[in-house]
C-alpha cells in the first residue's frame, strides 16, 4: 500500500485560508437518506460571503488535514478502472473543466446516491483548486519559480440538519493524489472519518 507524506498534505492545507485561498469553484448536492437529490449548486468560490467561504474552507481542509494513512489512505486505480466511461475518466474530465459541467456532476451525485449508506440527509461538496507548486532549493527552502500547477478536486460528504447545515465530513477524497509534491492521476487519496474502509471497486491499496 502506498504511503501519503504528511508534509505534502500540510503544504496543501496552508493554501486553504481566506488570504491564501486556492479554490476557484464549489459545487454540490443535497440528498435525502434514500439517496435522492433534493437540490444542487455550482458557484464561483469568490462569490460566497466571507463567512460562507470560511465554512467551506473548513470542510475542504478536513480531508487533507485528516489523520494521514489512518483516516486518509492512498489507493491506485487499476488499469481496468481507467477505461472509457469509468469514474476515473469522469473525475479527469471534471478536473479539466474545473467543475463547470453540471451534467457530469449529476452523474456523480447519482452514483453516490446509489452506493452511499446514510443514516439521514447529507450533502456532497466538490471543490476545484489549483496550486503553483514552488521549486525547493537543496536546503528545502522554497524558490519563487513554479515547478508545476497542481489542479485538483476535493470531495467531502457531510451529514446535514435543519436548513442544510453541514456537520463534520464523514468521507471524501482528494484527486489526483498529491504525491512527492506532484500530481499523480493514477492515484486517489480516500478519506473515511471512522478509519474503516470498504473494499473500493476498481481501486487497489
Amino acid at each position: 500500500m502506498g504511503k501519503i507524506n504528511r508534509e505534502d498534505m500540510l503544504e496543501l492545507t496552508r493554501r486553504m485560508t481566506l488570504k491564501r485561498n486556492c479554490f476557484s469553484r464549489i459545487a454540490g448536492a443535497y440528498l435525502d437518506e434514500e439517496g435522492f437529490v433534493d437540490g444542487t449548486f455550482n458557484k464561483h468560490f469568490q462569490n460566497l460571503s466571507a463567512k460562507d467561504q470560511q465554512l467551506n474552507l473548513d470542510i475542504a481542509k478536513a480531508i487533507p488535514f485528516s489523520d494521514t494513512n489512518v483516516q486518509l489512505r492512498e489507493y491506485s486505480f487499476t488499469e481496468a478502472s481507467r477505461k472509457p466511461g469509468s469514474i476515473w475518466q469522469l473525475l479527469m474530465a471534471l478536473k479539466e473543466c474545473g467543475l463547470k459541467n453540471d451534467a457530469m456532476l449529476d452523474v456523480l451525485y447519482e452514483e453516490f446516491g446509489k452506493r452511499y449508506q446514510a443514516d439521514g440527509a447529507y450533502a456532497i461538496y466538490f471543490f476545484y483548486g489549483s496550486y503553483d507548486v514552488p521549486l525547493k532549493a537543496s536546503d528545502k527552502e522554497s524558490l519563487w519559480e513554479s515547478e508545476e500547477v497542481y489542479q485538483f478536486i476535493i470531495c467531502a460528504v457531510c451529514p446535514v440538519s435543519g436548513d442544510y447545515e453541514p456537520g463534520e465530513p464523514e468521507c471524501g477524497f482528494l484527486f489526483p493524489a498529491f504525491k512527492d509534491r506532484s500530481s499523480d492521476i493514477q492515484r486517489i487519496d480516500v478519506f473515511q472519518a471512522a478509519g474503516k474502509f470498504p473494499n473500493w471497486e476498481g481501486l487497489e491499496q
Side-chain angles (χ1 to χ4, degrees):
M1 179 176 68
K3 292 290 185 181
I4 300 171
N5 187 329
R6 179 70 174 171
E7 290 303 314
D8 286 349
M9 297 299 101
L10 293 178
E11 182 174 349
L12 278 184
T13 59
R14 285 193 284 270
R15 274 70 186 174
M16 298 178 188
T17 66
L18 287 176
K19 290 185 177 181
R20 305 180 73 186
N21 172 41
C22 62
F23 296 116
S24 59
R25 196 151 202 92
I26 177 174
Y30 301 106
L31 294 87
D32 63 23
E33 61 184 8
E34 295 181 347
F36 293 103
V37 175
D38 284 339
T40 63
F41 58 90
N42 194 332
K43 302 177 180 179
H44 194 289
F45 198 89
Q46 296 296 335
N47 288 342
L48 301 175
S49 67
K51 179 182 178 181
D52 284 343
Q53 284 187 39
Q54 186 62 63
L55 171 67
N56 286 289
L57 283 167
D58 290 342
I59 291 172
K61 185 177 180 178
I63 306 305
F65 196 67
S66 60
D67 195 355
T68 310
N69 300 307
V70 178
Q71 293 178 313
L72 186 69
R73 296 184 185 178
E74 178 186 287
Y75 287 80
S76 298
F77 286 94
T78 64
E79 184 176 352
S81 70
R82 300 195 303 272
K83 62 186 178 182
S86 65
I87 293 295
W88 177 84
Q89 186 184 51
L90 181 60
L91 291 174
M92 287 291 293
L94 282 171
K95 179 180 75 73
E96 292 302 318
C97 75
L99 297 181
K100 293 180 181 178
N101 189 312
D102 286 324
M104 287 192 291
L105 284 165
D106 286 342
V107 172
L108 275 182
Y109 302 147
E110 291 176 7
E111 288 299 317
F112 263 101
K114 293 175 184 176
R115 303 181 186 191
Y116 187 63
Q117 300 297 315
D119 295 326
Y122 62 99
I124 305 169
Y125 296 88
F126 285 101
F127 304 86
Y128 171 75
S130 60
Y131 169 42
D132 284 340
V133 184
L135 288 167
K136 286 275 183 90
S138 58
D139 58 1
K140 297 187 178 180
E141 290 296 320
S142 295
L143 302 176
W144 286 108
E145 292 88 350
S146 176
E147 189 166 14
E148 71 168 283
V149 178
Y150 170 56
Q151 298 174 316
F152 63 97
I153 294 172
I154 285 181
C155 172
V157 180
C158 305
V160 293
S161 59
D163 189 20
Y164 297 122
E165 293 295 323
E168 296 291 325
E170 293 182 340
C171 67
F173 61 78
L174 168 66
F175 176 82
F178 189 55
K179 191 173 182 67
D180 298 326
R181 305 185 68 244
S182 183
S183 175
D184 189 334
I185 62 172
Q186 295 186 13
R187 291 180 171 85
I188 184 171
D189 295 335
V190 179
F191 167 74
Q192 288 282 128
K196 297 180 179 179
F197 291 75
N199 292 322
W200 298 95
E201 182 180 353
L203 297 177
E204 294 179 337
Q205 286 191 326

